[in-house]
Every structure is written in C-alpha cells, then in structure tokens.
C-alpha cells in the first residue's frame, strides 16, 4: 500500500492514508493555520509541523503519537542583529528574524533526533534534541557572500533544500533562493560555494555566472547515487553528476524549462520529474494544461505526461509540491489552487485525490505506520 | 502591580490567564510575564525582542507605536493589553 501523504497548506496539515479503494478523507491538523513545512521522521516516528502564524510568528510543533496530540518545541532564533555597523555592512531590519521554516530534514539517518532546518531569511539551523533547541550555523551565516543573497518570490532569501549524503552525513549540500548551492564536508564547520554552470538571466550580464546569486528553486539528490543532483532553477533545468560541483543545462524540457519542483527516482539517477510553468512572474501552466515532464535518460529525452491531469487549469506547483515515495513508483503532486494528484505508475497517469484543498506548500510521503 | 491581559486568540495556542506582575516599564512587565511562561515570549516578540508586526500592545488604552522601544513607564494600576492586530491574518 502506498505510504501516507503529509500535505502542508495555507490552512493546516492534511494527512491522507491510502486504503484498498483509494485515499480516505484526510485527518486535519492546525485547521486555519499556515503550515509551511512538515516532516514525518522515519527514525523515531515523530511528526513535525512548522507553522507560520500570521500574528504570532513561526512555531514548530511535534507529535509523538501520530498527530493525536501536538506540542510546541523550540524554533530557530536568530542572534541579536549587530548594531553600529558601518553603512556598507548594515542589514535591513528583519534580516536576523525568523520568517519561515522552509526545509526540515534528518541530519543523520543513524542518529534519531538530529535535524537540519533551512529558513527564510537564509539561515541553516541544527538541532540534536528533536527540535527542542536550535543553533544557527554561523559558518554559513557569516560568509561574506551571504550579503549578496536576495529574495525570490519571498522578500528574503531562504534555504529550501538540505541534502544529506547517505554515505556520510557530514556531507551536506544546501540550495538557497537566491544564494546558490553550498556544500560542507565537515557537518557545517566550513562551506564551499559550488554550482558552476548555473546562470542567472535576471542579473546584469557581468553577474550572470556569479554562483552566490543563483536561484535554484529546488535541488534533489538521488538517494542511491547521491552525486547525481537535479536542479529546477529559475532559468531552467540543470543536472550535476559530481555532487553539485558543476551543472549542465538541460534545455529540452517540454513544454517549458521554468518551474519550481523536481523529484528524482530513489534508485535511478537518470529518472526525474518536473512540473513546468510559464516564466517568470506569470507562473501558470503552459497553454492552461497541467502536465508533468519526465526524463528516464538523464535529460536526453522527455515525456510530457498529462493523463488524468486537468485542462483548462491554472494550478501552479510550488517547489515542495512534488514528491516521490521510497519505491520510486508512487508520485504525489499538489498545487496552490488546492489540487492533489497521485500517480502509481511513475507519472504515466494521475489520479485526483483532492480538488478543493487550501493552497499547498508541501507534499511529503510519510513512513508507513 | 500592572495587570496584563492577552487576546483570547492566543489561548488557541497556549494558556494566557490574566496576571499581575511588577515592573517599571512595559518591557520590564512583559519580561516578568515571559520569565513565568517562557514559551509565550516568541508569540509576542520576534527574535530581536521587537513586538511582532501584527501584535498590538496597548498601555492604559493607548497603542504603543514603537515596537522596538518598550520603555514606556507603567503605573501600579496600569493595564497592558496584548492583542491580535486585524492585519496579518
């Protein structure tokens, strides 16, 4: 049976379970509250939900009983913003204030309770106690290049992708919009800016290839071949086979190379899925048709998949709105107009699970209970 | 001691009974409240200790305009209301 789905939305967390006859009505948590990210931890069974309360700020809630009860745990807190800096180094008010939890991942697959959290405005935080306390990774935050980062879509830059190398959890690669791709080999003590080959058409020509201002909307690594990384970048689709050190542009994605989401097969690094849309700020499906683009040969060729997907329709899939399960056979995709689809044949055909959900921020498969 | 009242909207998230605490300024009073209930701090002020953009703090019926300066003096019979702004929903 397919794994349960955790769907984080503008108005709560919805948990869908697949039965023999399809998906049952979801259980609903935090109805009315924006949930920017969720994480069902395969190591200890905890569920996490990151709330972005409009009035009372960002909260992180954890459930130890599969959603029956939830408790506030800690949230990342930024240090005091330095005052009295020279004009050239001064940052805007709000630059050192948590705005949103944008990514939440297991830091070490073999050590329960260890977590990475990527935030808007561009901080990476680490917890070793199941989210009770968090520490800002100063080695990345204090890099001078961070001052060049800027927001894309949101007003502040943010860390949306945290890729932990299953071979060595000290090797972590993060994606920043707009701040490029960064990697550490020593669990965050030092960082290297990587991502050569990405380009930024939204910048003046002399800054087009500056690695520190790239906008990779999402990066994903193939779990069984972690050096195979796919990026859905603001300016197209890119692929790396050397752990993100260098990327090659994949220009033939139908019907467009713009989009936010990407998913990679857990065992086949050549197979990836995308949810294309019209660039830049338009952000609707091309020709009003929701489609998925899939490659099975590392980007040489693509299939345009639309069986079961709607038209005319204006759904847009955010960066965390496309997920693949552990087997590689089941996909889930959800939109900001409240549609949720799943595919159990690798994307060839899609089944509508919900059509009237709140705007969806994130879809993730949870471990089977 | 000043009386501190919180919006019922906060009670959805955590207990916020009306309390009386000492302090010479709004900041001191709120710090005393947060000392008694640490979780509440992050709901009212942000990482930098500023009153959240969409939280409104009233001292004796007047809204505090400067979110980063809570030095307004508090009388022994003052009332501080921490409310949810209409913006931010």
């Amino acid at each position: 049976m397919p794994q349960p789905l955790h769907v984080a939305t503008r108005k709560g967390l919805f948990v869908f379970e697949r039965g023999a006859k399809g998906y049952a009505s979801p259980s609903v948590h935090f109805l009315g509250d924006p949930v920017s990210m969720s994480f069902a931890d395969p190591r200890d069974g905890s569920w996490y939900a990151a709330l972005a309360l409009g009035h009372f700020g960002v909260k992180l809630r954890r459930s130890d009983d599969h959603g029956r009860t939830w408790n506030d745990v800690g949230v990342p807190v930024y240090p005091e913003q330095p005052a009295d800096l020279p004009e050239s180094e001064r940052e805007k008010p709000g630059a050192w204030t948590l705005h949103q939890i944008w990514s939440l991942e297991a830091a070490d697959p073999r050590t329960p309770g260890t977590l990475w959290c990527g935030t808007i405005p561009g901080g990476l935080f680490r917890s070793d106690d199941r989210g009770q306390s968090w520490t800002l990774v100063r080695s990345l935050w204090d890099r001078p290049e961070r001052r060049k980062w800027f927001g894309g879509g949101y007003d502040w830059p943010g860390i949306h992708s945290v890729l932990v190398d299953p071979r060595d959890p000290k090797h972590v690669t993060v994606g920043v919009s707009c701040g490029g791709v960064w990697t550490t080999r020593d669990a965050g003590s030092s960082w290297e800016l990587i991502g050569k080959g990405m380009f930024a058409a939204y910048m003046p020509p002399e800054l087009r290839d500056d690695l520190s201002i790239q906008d990779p909307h999402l990066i994903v690594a193939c779990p069984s071949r972690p050096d195979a990384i796919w990026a859905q970048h603001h300016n197209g689709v890119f692929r790396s086979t050397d752990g993100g050190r260098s990327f090659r542009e994949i220009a033939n994605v139908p019907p467009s190379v713009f989009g936010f989401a990407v998913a990679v097969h857990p065992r086949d690094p050549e197979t990836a899925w995308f949810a294309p849309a019209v660039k830049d700020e338009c952000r609707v499906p091309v020709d009003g048709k929701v489609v998925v683009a899939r490659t099975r040969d590392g980007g040489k060729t693509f299939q345009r998949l639309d069986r079961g997907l709607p038209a005319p329709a204006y759904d847009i899939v955010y960066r965390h709105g496309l997920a693949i399960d552990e087997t590689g056979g089941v996909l889930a995709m959800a939109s900001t107009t409240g549609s949720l689809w799943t595919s159990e044949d690798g994307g060839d055909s899609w089944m509508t699970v919900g059509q009237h959900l709140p705007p969806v921020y994130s879809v993730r498969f949870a471990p089977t209970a | 001691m000043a009386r501190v009242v919180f919006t019922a909207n906060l009670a959805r998230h955590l207990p916020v009974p009306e309390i009386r605490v000492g302090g010479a300024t709004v900041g001191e009073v709120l710090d005393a409240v947060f000392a008694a209930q640490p979780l509440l701090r992050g709901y009212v002020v942000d990482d930098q200790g500023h009153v959240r953009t969409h939280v409104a703090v009233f001292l004796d019926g007047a809204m505090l305009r400067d979110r980063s300066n809570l030095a307004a003096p508090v009388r022994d019979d003052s009332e501080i209301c921490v409310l949810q702004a209409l913006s931010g929903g």
Side-chain angles (χ1 to χ4, degrees), chain A residues 278-292:
Chain A
V278 179
K279 69 169 187 178
D280 285 302
E281 75 289 355
C282 184
R283 302 177 184 188
V284 295
V286 178
D287 298 329
K289 295 173 182 164
V290 176
V291 303
V292 167

Side-chain angles (χ1 to χ4, degrees), chain A residues 183-226:
Chain A
T183 196
T184 177
R185 294 267 175 188
D186 50 21
S189 296
S190 62
W191 292 87
E192 184 184 358
L193 175 60
I194 57 174
K196 194 162 181 289
M198 291 179 168
F199 61 85
Y202 45 83
M203 296 298 279
E206 63 274 20
L207 296 175
R208 179 183 180 274
D209 300 313
D210 185 338
L211 299 184
S212 64
I213 50 75
Q214 297 300 320
D215 184 10
H217 287 168
L218 192 77
I219 59 172
V220 293
C222 176
S224 64
R225 293 277 298 281

Side-chain angles (χ1 to χ4, degrees), chain A residues 33 55 61 72 78-79 81 96, chain B residues 12 42-43 47-48 85 87-88:
Chain A
D33 294 326
H55 299 92
R61 305 267 168 88
D72 262 305
Y78 282 81
Q81 186 164 345
W96 292 51
Chain B
R12 273 187 63 223
Y43 282 78
D47 307 42
Q48 302 302 320
S87 57

Side-chain angles (χ1 to χ4, degrees), chain A:
Chain A
M1 201 62 73
Q3 295 168 244
L5 275 171
H6 284 213
V7 182
T9 81
R10 175 77 177 78
K11 294 289 178 184
L13 173 68
F14 296 74
V15 177
F16 289 85
E17 304 253 5
R18 174 81 153 82
K21 293 179 180 171
Y23 286 88
S25 291
S27 62
V28 184
H29 311 265
F30 313 111
L31 185 62
D33 294 326
V35 181
S36 63
M37 179 49 64
S38 69
F39 175 50
D41 194 330
R43 298 167 300 177
D44 60 10
S46 322
W47 289 6
Y48 294 89
L51 277 54
L53 301 178
H55 299 92
F56 305 119
V58 174
K59 309 297 162 205
L60 184 63
R61 305 267 168 88
R62 192 186 70 219
S63 174
D64 298 330
D65 54 13
H66 293 103
R68 276 187 288 282
T69 59
W70 294 86
N71 288 300
D72 262 305
V73 286
V75 288
V77 176
Y78 282 81
E80 189 177 348
Q81 186 164 345
D84 306 325
L85 289 173
E87 177 85 32
S88 61
E89 292 177 33
R90 214 170 291 162
E91 296 183 76
K92 287 187 292 184
W96 292 51
T97 297
L98 181 63
H99 298 284
Q100 186 172 307
I101 289 176
W102 218 9
S103 48
L104 202 53
E105 302 292 343
D108 182 343
R110 287 172 290 278
T111 310
T114 58
L115 299 165
W116 291 115
C117 175
T119 74
I120 296 173
L124 180 68
F125 288 81
R126 165 87 181 216
S127 173
D128 290 308
D129 57 8
R130 306 178 74 215
Q132 292 292 348
S133 62
W134 294 90
T135 306
L136 175 64
V137 178
R138 291 297 298 245
S139 53
L140 183 59
W141 183 251
D142 292 335
R143 287 286 296 235
E145 296 95 330
R146 183 182 64 79
R147 303 299 181 89
K148 296 199 278 180
W149 296 3
F150 53 86
Y154 291 100
D155 290 344
W156 302 92
I159 297 179
H160 45 65
S161 305
V162 181
L163 312 181
V164 176
D165 189 333
R167 299 165 301 191
D168 173 15
K170 291 192 172 74
H171 178 208
V172 181
T173 303
V174 301
V176 190
S177 287
C178 305
V181 180
W182 295 76
T183 196
T184 177
R185 294 267 175 188
D186 50 21
S189 296
S190 62
W191 292 87
E192 184 184 358
L193 175 60
I194 57 174
K196 194 162 181 289
M198 291 179 168
F199 61 85
Y202 45 83
M203 296 298 279
E206 63 274 20
L207 296 175
R208 179 183 180 274
D209 300 313
D210 185 338
L211 299 184
S212 64
I213 50 75
Q214 297 300 320
D215 184 10
H217 287 168
L218 192 77
I219 59 172
V220 293
C222 176
S224 64
R225 293 277 298 281
D227 291 333
I229 294 181
W230 289 89
Q232 173 63 71
H233 183 286
H234 189 90
N235 284 126
V237 168
F238 294 83
R239 182 177 185 228
S240 171
T241 53
D242 57 8
R245 199 155 292 283
S246 65
F247 282 86
R248 182 168 58 85
E249 184 188 11
I250 307 287
N252 56 323
V253 186
S256 83
V257 297
F258 181 86
F260 294 98
V262 50
V264 61
H265 193 285
R267 289 184 308 281
D268 176 8
E270 308 270 298
T271 296
W273 295 260
F274 301 85
V278 179
K279 69 169 187 178
D280 285 302
E281 75 289 355
C282 184
R283 302 177 184 188
V284 295
V286 178
D287 298 329
K289 295 173 182 164
V290 176
V291 303
V292 167
R294 179 186 64 201
T295 179
R296 285 170 156 165
D297 53 14
K300 288 189 204 62
T301 62
F302 280 85
Q303 299 85 48
R304 183 183 176 282
L305 309 169
D306 61 4
R307 199 184 312 158
L309 295 174
Y314 300 94
D315 296 70
I316 194 78
V317 176
Y318 270 1
R319 69 197 74 214
H320 299 120
L322 176 63
I324 188 156
D325 76 339
E326 290 166 3
T327 71
V330 184
L331 291 144
M333 182 169 76
S335 77
T336 60
T337 32
S339 297
L340 171 64
W341 306 278
T342 58
S343 171
E344 296 179 5
D345 54 12
D348 286 329
S349 64
W350 295 82
M351 173 173 70
T352 300
V353 177
Q355 286 180 288
H356 304 287
L357 292 168
V360 175
Y361 296 142
S362 165
V363 177
R364 301 185 83 165
F365 285 98
T368 304

